Amino acid sequence: MRFSSVFSVFALCASLAEASRKPQIPTRPVLTPAPYNSGKKFPDSAPRNKHKKCFVKPGKGENRDDAARIKTAFKKCNNGGTVVLDQSYLVSSPLDLTFLKHVDVVITGEIHFNAKDVYYWASNSFKYDFQNMSTFWKWGGKDVNIYGDLSNGKSVIDGHGQAYWEEIVTNKSLLRPILFSIDGLKGGSMSNLRMRNSPNWFNIIANSSDIIISDLDIQAKSTGGVKIANSDGWDTYRSDNIVIQNSFVINTDDCVSFKPNSTNVIIQNLDCTGSHGISVGSLGQYANKTDIVENLYVYNITMTNAGDFARIKVWPGIQSSFQELLNGGGGLGYVRNVTYDTLHSINNDRAITITQCYGQKNQTLCEEHPANLTIEDVTIKNVWGTTSLSTDPEAGTLVCSAPDRCSNIRAQNITIDVPSGNTTEWECANVDESLLDINCVSTDGDRDTTNG
């Protein structure tokens, strides 16, 4: 009996020692859309098997490629398991992770994308026909939850965009990958992560539904004065029932952009700095193609030092040359039922922008070829703060290309101060000014509407 008792004590001690050596995995956060939701229920996430965990061990060497190791772990722990990325990884080849089903992904380490050869990624990344976009990897399937731990100082996904930004100084046609692509995911979440220096957009949510994003820290910062290109925080595309909330973004392009066929999307509780705003569009880029953006609610956003804030951008009815890889016009469709509510503007060039002349500097040409895509039932309300010296005393533009292309555009409780202290002005054309609680002035012809 005495020997048996001693053996039991040793066994217990060994078990406790083994348990202490196992890395602590944070519990999956319980994410709830708040205060608003789309009215559509998010599907329940199936329980995970607590004994089915795959810890990914990285390779060795500065030129390694951990892509295969990561994919092997997902194949092993798919269908009910948890993949843990708790060390430092280097991804040097594209990863197709669109086969996932009922899996959790814990990122408490760092994931870096190899930037030694930017032309490798230009050739080998996954391509999108839309706006010549490409991506390092694609995540899709059903019921996938990706999360980290912001308290540990890691939980980082880094695209090392500096090398790409330096290269496009002399080669503007270089294809640069998106940092994170959710593509074809039905039900899932992403939370408590840091994202750094994407070569292009940080995130695209494409061909997906029932996705909630929360508590992300996104930053694009260059060195040596190199200009950062694009760096959108999120772009939604052909997706429904999406919530993005409680996040912090420093970038140089749209904080959030609703691309074609984005429906039932909630954006709330964001702090954005240096961006081009919370943007519907651009839409109508591809001739005779139909773009629909409908049922959006944007709530409680602070925007600082940006080009625009609340923004809707539509291409004209004529082809227009804008940038090296971005041209278009003549598309069909509509924007409908969009609300911007509770917006704090701090030194942004324009607090409100509505244009149907995107990508075209000649406003007269846009009036001769009005947009084929209409804008209707838009409310922008409870907006306060300041704009910059850029267009003082003007604080924004609400300009449609013809009287029948926009309807029921409303601006309510708008209190924006311009630096000069003069009366704040708003450029208005082809909108019902009786629905606008702002000081409208007439347009002055040609204007530059080509800000990205």
Side-chain angles (χ1 to χ4, degrees):
M1 289 291 292
R2 183 176 296 173
F3 177 81
S4 176
S5 297
V6 171
F7 180 81
S8 297
V9 170
F10 279 130
L12 176 62
C13 290
S15 176
L16 292 173
E18 178 65 23
S20 68
R21 286 195 295 267
K22 289 183 178 179
Q24 295 297 309
I25 302 174
T27 303
R28 184 211 301 170
V30 177
L31 302 178
T32 303
Y36 292 99
N37 61 67
S38 70
K40 291 188 170 187
K41 185 180 183 297
F42 283 87
D44 294 330
S45 185
R48 305 299 188 244
N49 182 345
K50 64 180 181 179
H51 301 296
K52 191 176 183 180
K53 293 185 173 68
C54 294
F55 291 83
V56 181
K57 184 178 180 180
K60 297 180 180 180
E62 293 182 358
N63 294 316
R64 70 183 187 274
D65 184 6
D66 292 321
R69 293 168 181 259
I70 293 170
K71 192 166 187 176
T72 297
F74 277 107
K75 288 183 176 179
K76 183 178 179 180
C77 273
N78 204 21
N79 289 297
T82 300
V83 174
V84 182
L85 296 155
D86 60 350
Q87 299 186 53
S88 181
Y89 306 90
L90 183 64
V91 177
S92 302
S93 60
L95 261 173
D96 186 344
L97 301 174
T98 55
F99 58 87
L100 304 181
K101 189 174 183 181
H102 307 306
V103 64
D104 284 359
V105 187
V106 182
I107 303 174
T108 50
E110 301 177 358
I111 300 173
H112 298 270
F113 287 91
N114 196 329
K116 287 190 175 181
D117 184 356
V118 297
Y119 287 94
Y120 167 83
W121 286 109
S123 299
N124 293 280
S125 54
F126 299 105
K127 305 300 189 293
Y128 289 99
D129 291 335
F130 183 72
Q131 293 189 345
N132 294 299
M133 285 293 159
S134 65
T135 185
F136 289 121
W137 52 357
K138 297 190 295 183
W139 296 65
K142 182 179 181 181
D143 181 22
V144 179
N145 301 295
I146 307 159
Y147 62 95
D149 179 1
L150 290 177
S151 69
N152 73 355
K154 295 184 179 180
S155 295
V156 175
I157 304 173
D158 195 328
H160 295 274
Q162 180 79 20
Y164 299 84
W165 305 328
E166 291 175 357
E167 187 63 23
I168 63 171
V169 172
T170 56
N171 181 10
K172 296 188 183 303
S173 64
L174 175 67
L175 294 180
R176 294 166 287 116
I178 298 168
L179 183 60
F180 204 100
S181 296
I182 294 175
D183 192 342
L185 180 59
K186 310 303 179 186
S189 66
M190 187 176 190
S191 61
N192 296 296
L193 293 170
R194 294 179 175 87
M195 292 184 164
R196 297 292 183 263
N197 297 331
S198 176
N200 208 311
W201 302 345
F202 274 93
N203 295 275
I204 185 171
I205 303 172
N207 308 302
S208 298
S209 61
D210 306 322
I211 309 295
I212 181 167
I213 310 291
S214 190
D215 299 279
L216 263 60
D217 176 340
I218 293 175
Q219 297 186 41
K221 294 183 179 180
S222 68
T223 59
V226 174
K227 183 179 179 181
I228 299 171
N230 304 112
S231 74
D232 293 21
W234 291 271
D235 289 75
T236 60
Y237 177 60
R238 297 179 177 173
S239 293
D240 180 70
N241 194 25
I242 310 297
V243 175
I244 300 172
Q245 64 181 23
N246 305 338
S247 295
F248 174 85
V249 180
I250 296 176
N251 70 338
T252 62
D253 212 311
D254 297 322
C255 187
V256 183
S257 178
F258 310 101
K259 294 296 195 286
N261 305 308
S262 296
T263 55
N264 300 299
V265 183
I266 305 294
I267 308 296
Q268 54 195 356
N269 309 328
L270 300 190
D271 188 313
C272 308
T273 297
S275 82
H276 289 171
I278 307 292
S279 299
V280 177
S282 63
L283 303 175
Q285 179 179 354
Y286 298 100
N288 303 316
K289 299 289 186 181
T290 299
D291 295 345
I292 294 171
V293 171
E294 187 170 26
N295 301 333
L296 311 181
Y297 206 99
V298 178
Y299 175 76
N300 189 30
I301 312 295
T302 297
M303 185 76 62
T304 305
N305 297 334
D308 298 276
F309 195 165
R311 187 185 192 195
I312 300 175
K313 46 184 179 177
V314 173
W315 292 80
I318 187 174
Q319 285 286 309
S320 299
S321 295
F322 182 14
Q323 297 172 353
E324 184 75 23
L325 295 174
L326 187 60
N327 304 290
L332 311 171
Y334 59 82
V335 175
R336 180 183 297 158
N337 192 27
V338 174
T339 299
Y340 289 87
D341 180 7
T342 310
L343 309 182
H344 185 198
S345 176
I346 304 173
N347 196 47
N348 303 303
D349 293 344
R350 291 165 292 275
I352 301 173
T353 305
I354 297 176
T355 179
Q356 291 180 315
C357 194
Y358 181 72
Q360 175 57 252
K361 293 184 178 182
N362 188 336
Q363 179 68 26
T364 301
L365 190 62
C366 290
E367 292 169 356
E368 293 173 354
H369 301 275
N372 299 321
L373 190 146
T374 60
I375 303 172
E376 54 193 87
D377 303 330
V378 173
T379 298
I380 303 169
K381 62 183 180 179
N382 305 320
V383 182
W384 80 99
T386 61
T387 50
S388 72
L389 285 166
S390 177
T391 59
D392 187 353
E394 185 180 285
T397 62
L398 297 85
V399 178
C400 295
S401 54
D404 62 347
R405 304 305 156 100
C406 292
S407 63
N408 195 27
I409 311 296
R410 297 175 180 267
Q412 303 168 348
N413 191 25
I414 311 297
T415 307
I416 294 292
D417 296 323
V418 294
S420 64
N422 292 328
T423 300
T424 303
E425 297 179 353
W426 305 80
E427 192 170 13
C428 306
N430 296 317
V431 290
D432 184 348
E433 294 185 18
S434 69
L435 303 178
L436 303 177
D437 182 22
I438 55 178
N439 175 37
C440 281
V441 297
S442 61
T443 62
D444 58 359
D446 292 354
R447 289 174 293 108
D448 186 353
T449 58
T450 56
N451 189 28

